[in-house]
Amino acid sequence: IPLGPEESAMEVVLKKIRELSDSDHRDPFMVGDLGVLASRHQAFCQALPRVSPFYAVKCNSSPWVLRVLAALGTGFDCASQVELEQVLGLGVAPSRIIYAHPCKPVSHLQYAARHGVQLLTFDSEEELTKVAQHHPGARLILRLWTEDSQSLIRMSAKFGASLELCGHLLKSARDLGLAVVGASFHVGSGCQNPHSFAQAIADCRRVFEMGRGVGHDMSLLDIGGGFPGVEGSEPEFEKMARVINAALAQDFPEGTGMEVIAEPGRFYAAPVCVAAVNIIAKKAVLQPGGHRKLLYYLNEGHYGTFRVFLRDHVPRMPIVVKELCSKPPLFPCILYGPTCDAFDTFFNEEVQLPELDVGDWLIFPSMGAYTSVMSSTFNGFPPASICYIMGAELRSLLETAP
């Protein structure tokens, strides 16, 4: 992967667009600035001084992203054997990994046991039975059900044990000779209500009391993910951090020997990448009253790196790369991807854009999270190529990292 000098990803994108402007090959591409990871790490640790970040590998599993985060000292949240292999292959200590998937295939569980990955989440009796058989030395984290109705992507229907069930699960683990060392939750991706964290942290305190009551040595709290990654997101990360810090101070005061971790993904990865896509076709449609609606067909879409757009339900406006008058007229537009599938659109609704032409470029910032990892080659369209850049300071950090 080519690594450029100290330029921002946006500058590199614009330079590459200028280079491609005389060519008929205007394939979609992304540029990732790895230096952003260092600034996000600093921001996370500053805002949440008691919380150790365990980066969610699923969000962007690029070897470069993982290498930089390993050098910065983050932990890692893995959800499968392949993710465990990737992180362990970088020389990350098993103690810096949490296998945070409550429903694990037996072979993946055995792999974790063989390689010394001890922190595992669970939320059911059936999972305890598997762990007792295949990884009895595990340090277990009980995942709680969380009220996440105000999150963009809800997880409570799929994962998490209700508070009413926790007492029974903690006793079952004890009877099987398994050690439960803490509790975890996930407020859902794109959490819209910071107070979901406060309620979940209070619930975890009750689980700790139950666990200690039946003989478990509970000392680890995992507050999961849900932190915003796109700039200008509501609520702001700083507000979320204030709510979390206050809840921790109230329910798990400092000096009680508690270890607190989190599983940020988008917060680190989203701002790293900028994507550039080209308009390959265009169609104007006349609407009632003679108003024009424009359909733009782009060379990247839902089946490539833009699947996240329909999941997020948050229209993110592109930057138009074209000389336009100061206040160009805007038209209702639909952005389609390149495949034959009518579902291959960018947004659930029309967006307002100026009139553009075939061959023009659109730039989308904050494209580092849940993009390339979710892409496919459906209909024979390869996903956008990615090149990563980094500055001299980060390069020397990687060279000196163990």
Side-chain angles (χ1 to χ4, degrees):
I1 297 173
L3 301 174
E6 291 197 50
E7 298 173 272
S8 76
M10 188 65 82
E11 286 165 342
V12 174
V13 165
L14 291 169
K15 191 165 114 187
K16 185 161 179 179
I17 284 174
R18 284 194 295 272
E19 287 168 8
L20 292 171
S21 60
D22 297 327
S23 163
D24 291 330
H25 294 279
R26 301 185 182 188
D27 296 332
F29 66 91
M30 292 211 282
V31 174
D33 180 358
L34 294 168
V36 170
L37 291 169
S39 55
R40 295 303 266 182
H41 183 55
Q42 188 181 10
F44 190 92
C45 296
Q46 242 170 357
L48 294 166
R50 288 186 59 194
V51 184
S52 300
F54 277 54
Y55 171 73
V57 174
K58 64 182 81 65
C59 179
N60 182 330
S61 57
S62 153
W64 281 107
V65 168
L66 299 183
R67 267 186 71 186
V68 169
L69 291 170
L72 290 169
T74 70
F76 292 89
D77 150 24
C78 297
S80 66
Q81 179 171 329
V82 167
E83 290 186 354
L84 290 170
E85 286 169 354
Q86 257 195 298
V87 174
L88 289 166
L90 291 171
V92 173
S95 59
R96 281 170 61 193
I97 297 172
I98 179 168
Y99 186 176
H101 194 315
C103 309
K104 296 168 277 296
V106 165
S107 60
H108 297 209
L109 195 52
Q110 291 169 331
Y111 179 87
R114 284 198 306 274
H115 291 83
V117 176
Q118 289 189 304
L119 278 181
L120 314 177
T121 59
F122 77 101
D123 65 1
S124 70
E125 200 151 6
E126 287 73 11
E127 199 69 11
L128 285 174
T129 307
K130 277 192 303 192
V131 173
Q133 195 176 344
H134 302 288
H135 195 346
R139 299 173 66 228
L140 288 168
I141 309 290
L142 173 50
R143 176 156 167 175
L144 265 72
W145 177 89
T146 310
E147 164 50 54
D148 61 359
S149 59
Q150 292 182 56
S151 295
L152 296 177
I153 299 172
R154 301 180 60 185
M155 297 185 182
S156 59
K158 190 171 183 180
F159 301 118
S162 66
L163 258 182
E164 294 73 36
L165 194 62
C166 286
H168 172 71
L169 289 174
L170 289 161
K171 285 188 188 117
S172 294
R174 181 200 60 195
D175 295 344
L176 287 165
L178 297 170
V180 180
V181 299
S184 74
F185 61 84
H186 197 301
V187 295
S189 271
C191 173
Q192 301 295 287
N193 180 7
H195 293 283
S196 302
F197 279 99
Q199 182 57 56
I201 288 168
D203 289 346
C204 281
R205 189 186 68 184
R206 290 180 59 191
V207 172
F208 271 65
E209 288 161 2
M210 287 183 221
R212 286 168 179 156
V214 297
H216 292 293
D217 182 11
M218 309 273 279
S219 61
L220 193 146
L221 172 66
D222 176 359
I223 64 170
F227 309 101
V230 179
E231 215 170 297
S233 295
E234 280 294 328
E236 294 171 347
F237 171 64
E238 289 71 23
K239 182 181 178 187
M240 211 174 254
R242 284 196 295 273
V243 171
I244 291 168
N245 288 331
L248 290 175
Q250 183 176 318
D251 292 306
F252 295 96
E254 280 194 82
T256 51
M258 279 294 304
E259 184 186 353
V260 187
I261 69 171
E263 299 164 0
R266 289 168 195 272
F267 180 81
Y268 276 81
V272 169
C273 292
V274 176
V277 296
N278 200 257
I279 298 174
I280 55 171
K282 167 189 172 181
K283 189 160 65 178
V285 179
L286 269 184
Q287 297 182 291
H291 300 295
R292 292 169 82 230
K293 178 162 84 173
L294 299 172
L295 313 185
Y296 292 124
Y297 300 81
L298 306 171
N299 57 0
E300 178 65 302
H302 176 78
Y303 292 98
T305 43
F306 286 86
R307 185 171 302 225
V308 68
F309 275 33
L310 290 184
R311 286 162 56 88
D312 276 0
H313 313 293
V314 180
R316 290 190 260 175
M317 291 301 290
I319 297 163
V320 175
V321 185
K322 192 180 179 77
E323 294 266 335
L324 296 161
C325 61
S326 61
K327 279 203 171 173
L330 300 179
F331 298 88
C333 301
I334 295 177
L335 302 184
Y336 284 114
T339 71
C340 295
D341 184 5
F343 189 69
D344 186 2
T345 62
F346 279 60
F347 305 119
N348 286 311
E349 56 203 48
E350 295 171 351
V351 290
Q352 298 288 315
L353 287 172
E355 176 139 18
L356 302 169
D357 297 301
V358 170
D360 285 342
W361 291 87
L362 295 177
I363 293 177
F364 291 85
S366 297
M367 286 292 293
Y370 298 106
T371 49
S372 52
V373 286
M374 297 180 81
S375 62
S376 73
T377 56
F378 174 59
N379 229 168
F381 291 97
S385 60
I386 310 178
C387 101
Y388 285 99
I389 59 172
M390 74 171 96
E393 198 177 319
L394 190 53
R395 193 170 304 171
S396 65
L397 173 69
L398 284 187
E399 283 163 3
T400 56

